[in-house]
Amino acid sequence: MLLCILLLGVSESLHAQFYISPKVCVADISTDPATGQLIGCEKRTSFFDTVAAADAWFWDFGDGGQSNSRNPQYVYQAPGPYTVRLTRTMNNGSVLQSTTRQITVGTYPTQPKFNDKLSADTTVCESSSLELNPFKLQIAGNVKYRWFPTGDTTKTITVDTTGCYSVEVYDAVSGCSRSAKINVKFCLQESSSGGGIEKWYFGKGGSLEFGMEGDSTERDSLAVEGDLNPDLPLENPAFKPSNSNEVSKVNTSGAVAMVYDKNTNLVFYTDGNKLFAGSDDTEIQTAGGGNFIIGNTSSSQGLMIVPKSNCNACNYTEYYVLSQDPATKLLSYSVVDMRYNNRKGAVVEQNIPLLFTASEKMAGVRSSNDSAFVLYSFDYKKGAFNILTIDSTGINTTEQIVGSNTLDSLSGTGYIAISPNGRKLAHGVVINGKNYVEVFDRNLNTNRLSNPILIDLNVPAPPTVYGVAFGSNSDILYTTIKGNPALGQDSQLIQLALFLGDAASISAGKEIILRRQEEFGALMLGPVYGIGEKYLYMSVNNKDFLPYLQNPDVKGNAAVVGLSYVAGSASFGAPLDGLATLGLPNILAPVAEQEGEGISANYSGNCQNSPTVFTTQGICSPMRNKVTWYFDDGTKKEGTQTSYTYTKPGWHTIKMVVEVFQKSKISSVVNNQVVDKLTETECTEEEYTGTIYIKPSPTTQVPRNLYICFEEFEKKAFGPSPKGGNSFVYTWMTSLGTTLSRDSAYIFDIPATYLLDVENNFGCLTKDTVTVKEGCEPALFLPDVFTPNEDNLNNDFAIIPAYITDFDFKVFNRWGELVFNSKNPEIKWDGKFKGKIYGNQLYPYTINYRSKYFPERGQLQTRGSILILK
């Protein structure tokens, strides 16, 4: 109440005070003695002048440090007492006498550690428990403790559940603190956190829950790599509103804020008046047990809950609750600590001034690298955006004057929207009694805004532009004109196609999706988090349903975008048990994170006759794993990665057995692998079964060597005639891999080594090598008859050999006597035996020889008989 009085300018006396953070701590510049690295965390002291009429400041922090901001943040470099002096200049030009405060800068306790680290990881067997002691070998001193998530205040705790645990150790005198964390993993223990479903609370008891629909995905058995036992996602998932929604605890005409954890579980929420635990809707009180009231149930978008990152501690131990006071235009925050009240939280800091002046518009988003949250608050008097970056160092505020700066006061209400891709920001403004939407480009690295586009809605004010929201693709924007039915004013839902480019084209191409004499409010694409097709929802004051657009990314009228709110339609939208008012919730959540560890295995390569590689990450790292693979032919292999070649196509079953071993305590004393194995114990043994489809590979009939008689200029065509597929792709190559042809057959005319790849329609490849060599087949050309009658025609038995060696020709008579023998084909038989030519008769012969090109064939023989005719 005193703060409100000060901000309203009632008390501008010479003795007006200013705000200082309750804990003032020296700069934490300690170093790790083991590594020499800085291990401290930057914890700034916040100052804030609470006099509304002041517009210039000079701060003297007592150690030489100075600032000219209303709300500076400062870090003292040395402990001790200091005098802080503030000199104000009022907006009428007068300078007030300096105001002073005495402060004492405190020091930090000894740095807690787990396993000698500020941030440690450990894995133990599921059946075990683990004592956590942050000062195992150190003297803690005069300190207090608070653990996350248990809330214990003891020096040690014993845990038996997988999760992140952190301890904050407070110096008992100064209250300054340091933290350390440890991620404890109980081997294969199921995560207790589960996964939640996003639900919105708003209005007067209104709630909306989302469900996902989609067709079942069939496993792609032909995929070249994948999981052996995949958890198949839905095909074309889409979020649909529930038809049954419970009455919520909220009761407000305007803003609501909600925050989810990394598993999409609702942590807590506020309707601008009270805070409620997400687990059971109980009211969150102060740490001392008193009631906590915000008192902001009428602003349009002036509430936000932001996860607070913590240096060396688990995220998220604490949350900021930011609220704009509609009367004073002050943006302040309170802190909810989730270590209290059995993880339901308690308010540990209240109503800390942050920003003045602030409008009712406020929107937030995760930073591009997920390390912080970025909030935008609009000051219509200056035409300025206050950009708040919230990370482990606290809240840092910068002001950016950008866009239109001559705005009507109606510009201070309504909504700010940030596009799903984070690259644009939009809000409604009123200038000289006309409604506009202003769209900015947003830099993902600096968070600053640029390139404003002012889009004329061609609607005089009042009625006033109010809700804004982007479609999923970020290139179509929707806005509402909030009419007053009591004054006969229509409300409108308007579509703006930003992809049209300039402001004039966008304005000319606007679509009026809906016009009614009702009071349209906020717009919101939902759910905020989750992958899948989303609808765009609109609040309508005092209605028990939320109208929505089913196709918000398509330019067009109500029918094209799939508006549910059409007279005569079966449904006017998503039904509510409570009532909608004008607001929809501001929602933030940290980046999604999977807790726990499951057993899994993957394959790479699934073609017949080619190696298939199987891998597993093992489980319960860094514990030692022994992995054994069992294949359906009885083969057994070991290792986290192994290879196996299937010779038969079709489905095959693989069994994997993982044995996990835990080191004994002696291993921390004796660093020896032999001792580790001798003293370790088995923690668990898990069996995993998966399946794989092996695709058929082409089978070819390709000779290793192909002989061609180049002496006779022979060319030879050859094709592999593959089987094992419906179609094939051929690649003939040189030995160096240069492609020669893609025909099914190749004509060889040069001796060389050729490569052949045959790929079937399943993507399986067979590689062959063909070596083309010169090789002429041995041949003998000889007659069946000759006439040794000295007529100079066919007088001799002439043999013409081709590509042979070791020629040996023998002729015998009918009694087996050798009548002629020659080892030279040039020496011909003239038909005589002992100088005489006998009568007409047959003479048997043999010709023994070897192949010139194929000596490995050994001695070859040709038998026959020759007829002599005189």
Side-chain angles (χ1 to χ4, degrees), residues 267-294:
V267 183
F268 67 95
Y269 60 97
T270 178
D271 59 1
N273 192 39
K274 298 179 179 180
L275 301 178
F276 302 97
S279 58
D280 60 3
D281 300 317
T282 56
E283 184 178 339
I284 297 176
Q285 298 181 322
T286 66
N291 293 330
F292 176 74
I293 302 296
I294 296 177

mmCIF file of all heavy atoms in Angstrom, residues 267-294:
data_model
loop_
_atom_site.group_PDB
_atom_site.id
_atom_site.type_symbol
_atom_site.label_atom_id
_atom_site.label_comp_id
_atom_site.label_asym_id
_atom_site.label_seq_id
_atom_site.Cartn_x
_atom_site.Cartn_y
_atom_site.Cartn_z
ATOM 1 N N VAL A 267 2.984 -26.570 -13.202
ATOM 2 C CA VAL A 267 3.635 -26.301 -11.913
ATOM 3 C C VAL A 267 2.693 -25.497 -11.020
ATOM 4 O O VAL A 267 2.334 -25.921 -9.935
ATOM 5 C CB VAL A 267 4.969 -25.560 -12.125
ATOM 6 C CG1 VAL A 267 5.666 -25.344 -10.776
ATOM 7 C CG2 VAL A 267 5.882 -26.345 -13.054
ATOM 8 N N PHE A 268 2.302 -24.311 -11.476
ATOM 9 C CA PHE A 268 1.282 -23.536 -10.764
ATOM 10 C C PHE A 268 0.745 -22.478 -11.711
ATOM 11 O O PHE A 268 1.240 -22.288 -12.821
ATOM 12 C CB PHE A 268 1.806 -22.948 -9.457
ATOM 13 C CG PHE A 268 2.871 -21.885 -9.599
ATOM 14 C CD1 PHE A 268 2.546 -20.535 -9.599
ATOM 15 C CD2 PHE A 268 4.205 -22.235 -9.698
ATOM 16 C CE1 PHE A 268 3.523 -19.565 -9.713
ATOM 17 C CE2 PHE A 268 5.198 -21.265 -9.805
ATOM 18 C CZ PHE A 268 4.844 -19.925 -9.821
ATOM 19 N N TYR A 269 -0.287 -21.757 -11.274
ATOM 20 C CA TYR A 269 -0.919 -20.761 -12.132
ATOM 21 C C TYR A 269 -1.518 -19.666 -11.265
ATOM 22 O O TYR A 269 -1.637 -19.798 -10.041
ATOM 23 C CB TYR A 269 -1.982 -21.408 -13.022
ATOM 24 C CG TYR A 269 -3.110 -22.091 -12.287
ATOM 25 C CD1 TYR A 269 -4.318 -21.452 -12.054
ATOM 26 C CD2 TYR A 269 -2.963 -23.403 -11.838
ATOM 27 C CE1 TYR A 269 -5.358 -22.098 -11.382
ATOM 28 C CE2 TYR A 269 -3.991 -24.052 -11.171
ATOM 29 C CZ TYR A 269 -5.182 -23.396 -10.941
ATOM 30 O OH TYR A 269 -6.202 -24.018 -10.282
ATOM 31 N N THR A 270 -1.884 -18.558 -11.905
ATOM 32 C CA THR A 270 -2.495 -17.443 -11.189
ATOM 33 C C THR A 270 -3.552 -16.783 -12.054
ATOM 34 O O THR A 270 -3.416 -16.710 -13.280
ATOM 35 C CB THR A 270 -1.444 -16.399 -10.771
ATOM 36 O OG1 THR A 270 -2.103 -15.315 -10.112
ATOM 37 C CG2 THR A 270 -0.680 -15.855 -11.976
ATOM 38 N N ASP A 271 -4.597 -16.313 -11.398
ATOM 39 C CA ASP A 271 -5.641 -15.552 -12.087
ATOM 40 C C ASP A 271 -5.502 -14.055 -11.807
ATOM 41 O O ASP A 271 -6.426 -13.281 -12.037
ATOM 42 C CB ASP A 271 -7.034 -16.036 -11.680
ATOM 43 C CG ASP A 271 -7.275 -15.924 -10.179
ATOM 44 O OD1 ASP A 271 -6.372 -15.451 -9.448
ATOM 45 O OD2 ASP A 271 -8.364 -16.312 -9.732
ATOM 46 N N GLY A 272 -4.328 -13.640 -11.323
ATOM 47 C CA GLY A 272 -4.093 -12.248 -11.018
ATOM 48 C C GLY A 272 -4.456 -11.881 -9.592
ATOM 49 O O GLY A 272 -4.181 -10.767 -9.142
ATOM 50 N N ASN A 273 -5.026 -12.828 -8.880
ATOM 51 C CA ASN A 273 -5.384 -12.588 -7.492
ATOM 52 C C ASN A 273 -4.647 -13.562 -6.573
ATOM 53 O O ASN A 273 -3.904 -13.160 -5.688
ATOM 54 C CB ASN A 273 -6.888 -12.707 -7.297
ATOM 55 C CG ASN A 273 -7.360 -12.178 -5.953
ATOM 56 O OD1 ASN A 273 -6.856 -11.162 -5.487
ATOM 57 N ND2 ASN A 273 -8.316 -12.867 -5.341
ATOM 58 N N LYS A 274 -4.815 -14.871 -6.821
ATOM 59 C CA LYS A 274 -4.176 -15.893 -6.015
ATOM 60 C C LYS A 274 -3.302 -16.784 -6.898
ATOM 61 O O LYS A 274 -3.426 -16.808 -8.118
ATOM 62 C CB LYS A 274 -5.229 -16.748 -5.309
ATOM 63 C CG LYS A 274 -6.119 -15.970 -4.333
ATOM 64 C CD LYS A 274 -7.149 -16.885 -3.686
ATOM 65 C CE LYS A 274 -8.028 -16.126 -2.696
ATOM 66 N NZ LYS A 274 -9.031 -17.023 -2.062
ATOM 67 N N LEU A 275 -2.440 -17.541 -6.215
ATOM 68 C CA LEU A 275 -1.621 -18.555 -6.869
ATOM 69 C C LEU A 275 -2.163 -19.927 -6.499
ATOM 70 O O LEU A 275 -2.555 -20.161 -5.351
ATOM 71 C CB LEU A 275 -0.158 -18.453 -6.418
ATOM 72 C CG LEU A 275 0.578 -17.137 -6.665
ATOM 73 C CD1 LEU A 275 1.993 -17.223 -6.111
ATOM 74 C CD2 LEU A 275 0.607 -16.799 -8.142
ATOM 75 N N PHE A 276 -2.157 -20.852 -7.470
ATOM 76 C CA PHE A 276 -2.677 -22.196 -7.232
ATOM 77 C C PHE A 276 -1.658 -23.229 -7.694
ATOM 78 O O PHE A 276 -1.068 -23.102 -8.779
ATOM 79 C CB PHE A 276 -3.993 -22.406 -7.979
ATOM 80 C CG PHE A 276 -5.073 -21.429 -7.609
ATOM 81 C CD1 PHE A 276 -5.296 -20.302 -8.383
ATOM 82 C CD2 PHE A 276 -5.855 -21.632 -6.481
ATOM 83 C CE1 PHE A 276 -6.285 -19.396 -8.054
ATOM 84 C CE2 PHE A 276 -6.848 -20.734 -6.138
ATOM 85 C CZ PHE A 276 -7.068 -19.605 -6.920
ATOM 86 N N ALA A 277 -1.449 -24.269 -6.889
ATOM 87 C CA ALA A 277 -0.531 -25.354 -7.240
ATOM 88 C C ALA A 277 -1.109 -26.159 -8.397
ATOM 89 O O ALA A 277 -2.310 -26.459 -8.431
ATOM 90 C CB ALA A 277 -0.290 -26.254 -6.034
ATOM 91 N N GLY A 278 -0.252 -26.515 -9.339
ATOM 92 C CA GLY A 278 -0.719 -27.259 -10.498
ATOM 93 C C GLY A 278 -1.099 -28.689 -10.180
ATOM 94 O O GLY A 278 -1.916 -29.289 -10.872
ATOM 95 N N SER A 279 -0.542 -29.256 -9.104
ATOM 96 C CA SER A 279 -0.795 -30.660 -8.796
ATOM 97 C C SER A 279 -2.189 -30.890 -8.230
ATOM 98 O O SER A 279 -2.819 -31.911 -8.520
ATOM 99 C CB SER A 279 0.253 -31.177 -7.807
ATOM 100 O OG SER A 279 0.237 -30.398 -6.617
ATOM 101 N N ASP A 280 -2.691 -29.946 -7.410
ATOM 102 C CA ASP A 280 -3.992 -30.183 -6.788
ATOM 103 C C ASP A 280 -4.821 -28.910 -6.595
ATOM 104 O O ASP A 280 -5.825 -28.923 -5.890
ATOM 105 C CB ASP A 280 -3.815 -30.886 -5.439
ATOM 106 C CG ASP A 280 -2.988 -30.076 -4.455
ATOM 107 O OD1 ASP A 280 -2.595 -28.933 -4.787
ATOM 108 O OD2 ASP A 280 -2.730 -30.571 -3.344
ATOM 109 N N ASP A 281 -4.398 -27.803 -7.203
ATOM 110 C CA ASP A 281 -5.141 -26.534 -7.167
ATOM 111 C C ASP A 281 -5.194 -25.894 -5.778
ATOM 112 O O ASP A 281 -5.970 -24.961 -5.567
ATOM 113 C CB ASP A 281 -6.575 -26.705 -7.692
ATOM 114 C CG ASP A 281 -6.615 -27.199 -9.117
ATOM 115 O OD1 ASP A 281 -5.821 -26.694 -9.929
ATOM 116 O OD2 ASP A 281 -7.421 -28.093 -9.419
ATOM 117 N N THR A 282 -4.377 -26.376 -4.834
ATOM 118 C CA THR A 282 -4.368 -25.722 -3.525
ATOM 119 C C THR A 282 -3.741 -24.337 -3.648
ATOM 120 O O THR A 282 -2.882 -24.085 -4.486
ATOM 121 C CB THR A 282 -3.577 -26.546 -2.496
ATOM 122 O OG1 THR A 282 -2.254 -26.768 -2.998
ATOM 123 C CG2 THR A 282 -4.249 -27.867 -2.232
ATOM 124 N N GLU A 283 -4.183 -23.435 -2.765
ATOM 125 C CA GLU A 283 -3.689 -22.070 -2.811
ATOM 126 C C GLU A 283 -2.272 -22.009 -2.264
ATOM 127 O O GLU A 283 -1.949 -22.594 -1.223
ATOM 128 C CB GLU A 283 -4.607 -21.165 -1.992
ATOM 129 C CG GLU A 283 -4.236 -19.695 -2.055
ATOM 130 C CD GLU A 283 -5.198 -18.820 -1.262
ATOM 131 O OE1 GLU A 283 -6.341 -19.278 -1.003
ATOM 132 O OE2 GLU A 283 -4.803 -17.699 -0.899
ATOM 133 N N ILE A 284 -1.395 -21.316 -2.993
ATOM 134 C CA ILE A 284 -0.008 -21.160 -2.573
ATOM 135 C C ILE A 284 0.085 -19.938 -1.667
ATOM 136 O O ILE A 284 -0.373 -18.844 -2.018
ATOM 137 C CB ILE A 284 0.919 -21.003 -3.793
ATOM 138 C CG1 ILE A 284 0.877 -22.271 -4.653
ATOM 139 C CG2 ILE A 284 2.356 -20.707 -3.356
ATOM 140 C CD1 ILE A 284 1.679 -22.172 -5.927
ATOM 141 N N GLN A 285 0.685 -20.138 -0.495
ATOM 142 C CA GLN A 285 0.803 -19.061 0.480
ATOM 143 C C GLN A 285 2.257 -18.621 0.607
ATOM 144 O O GLN A 285 3.136 -19.104 -0.110
ATOM 145 C CB GLN A 285 0.242 -19.528 1.818
ATOM 146 C CG GLN A 285 -1.239 -19.882 1.765
ATOM 147 C CD GLN A 285 -1.780 -20.308 3.110
ATOM 148 O OE1 GLN A 285 -1.097 -20.988 3.883
ATOM 149 N NE2 GLN A 285 -3.000 -19.901 3.416
ATOM 150 N N THR A 286 2.511 -17.713 1.514
ATOM 151 C CA THR A 286 3.873 -17.276 1.753
ATOM 152 C C THR A 286 4.618 -18.346 2.542
ATOM 153 O O THR A 286 4.010 -19.251 3.117
ATOM 154 C CB THR A 286 3.903 -15.953 2.536
ATOM 155 O OG1 THR A 286 3.372 -16.187 3.843
ATOM 156 C CG2 THR A 286 3.086 -14.883 1.820
ATOM 157 N N ALA A 287 5.943 -18.227 2.583
ATOM 158 C CA ALA A 287 6.745 -19.209 3.320
ATOM 159 C C ALA A 287 6.397 -19.217 4.794
ATOM 160 O O ALA A 287 6.545 -20.233 5.470
ATOM 161 C CB ALA A 287 8.229 -18.912 3.121
ATOM 162 N N GLY A 288 5.900 -18.082 5.299
ATOM 163 C CA GLY A 288 5.512 -18.021 6.706
ATOM 164 C C GLY A 288 4.099 -18.478 6.971
ATOM 165 O O GLY A 288 3.636 -18.450 8.111
ATOM 166 N N GLY A 289 3.381 -18.881 5.918
ATOM 167 C CA GLY A 289 2.030 -19.384 6.094
ATOM 168 C C GLY A 289 0.944 -18.358 5.896
ATOM 169 O O GLY A 289 -0.243 -18.663 6.075
ATOM 170 N N GLY A 290 1.280 -17.130 5.525
ATOM 171 C CA GLY A 290 0.272 -16.106 5.324
ATOM 172 C C GLY A 290 -0.311 -16.132 3.922
ATOM 173 O O GLY A 290 0.228 -16.756 3.007
ATOM 174 N N ASN A 291 -1.432 -15.450 3.749
ATOM 175 C CA ASN A 291 -2.073 -15.364 2.437
ATOM 176 C C ASN A 291 -1.260 -14.464 1.510
ATOM 177 O O ASN A 291 -0.654 -13.477 1.936
ATOM 178 C CB ASN A 291 -3.494 -14.808 2.559
ATOM 179 C CG ASN A 291 -4.414 -15.766 3.295
ATOM 180 O OD1 ASN A 291 -4.227 -16.985 3.243
ATOM 181 N ND2 ASN A 291 -5.405 -15.228 3.989
ATOM 182 N N PHE A 292 -1.275 -14.814 0.227
ATOM 183 C CA PHE A 292 -0.584 -14.010 -0.779
ATOM 184 C C PHE A 292 -1.603 -13.586 -1.825
ATOM 185 O O PHE A 292 -2.258 -14.419 -2.436
ATOM 186 C CB PHE A 292 0.547 -14.795 -1.442
ATOM 187 C CG PHE A 292 1.212 -14.041 -2.548
ATOM 188 C CD1 PHE A 292 2.072 -12.989 -2.267
ATOM 189 C CD2 PHE A 292 0.969 -14.374 -3.880
ATOM 190 C CE1 PHE A 292 2.689 -12.287 -3.297
ATOM 191 C CE2 PHE A 292 1.575 -13.670 -4.905
ATOM 192 C CZ PHE A 292 2.437 -12.624 -4.616
ATOM 193 N N ILE A 293 -1.737 -12.289 -2.010
ATOM 194 C CA ILE A 293 -2.697 -11.745 -2.962
ATOM 195 C C ILE A 293 -1.960 -10.828 -3.935
ATOM 196 O O ILE A 293 -1.198 -9.940 -3.510
ATOM 197 C CB ILE A 293 -3.815 -10.947 -2.248
ATOM 198 C CG1 ILE A 293 -4.537 -11.845 -1.236
ATOM 199 C CG2 ILE A 293 -4.798 -10.375 -3.261
ATOM 200 C CD1 ILE A 293 -5.271 -13.007 -1.854
ATOM 201 N N ILE A 294 -2.192 -11.029 -5.206
ATOM 202 C CA ILE A 294 -1.572 -10.163 -6.215
ATOM 203 C C ILE A 294 -2.409 -8.913 -6.428
ATOM 204 O O ILE A 294 -1.906 -7.798 -6.500
ATOM 205 C CB ILE A 294 -1.393 -10.918 -7.549
ATOM 206 C CG1 ILE A 294 -0.406 -12.084 -7.374
ATOM 207 C CG2 ILE A 294 -0.891 -9.984 -8.639
ATOM 208 C CD1 ILE A 294 -0.221 -12.923 -8.615
#
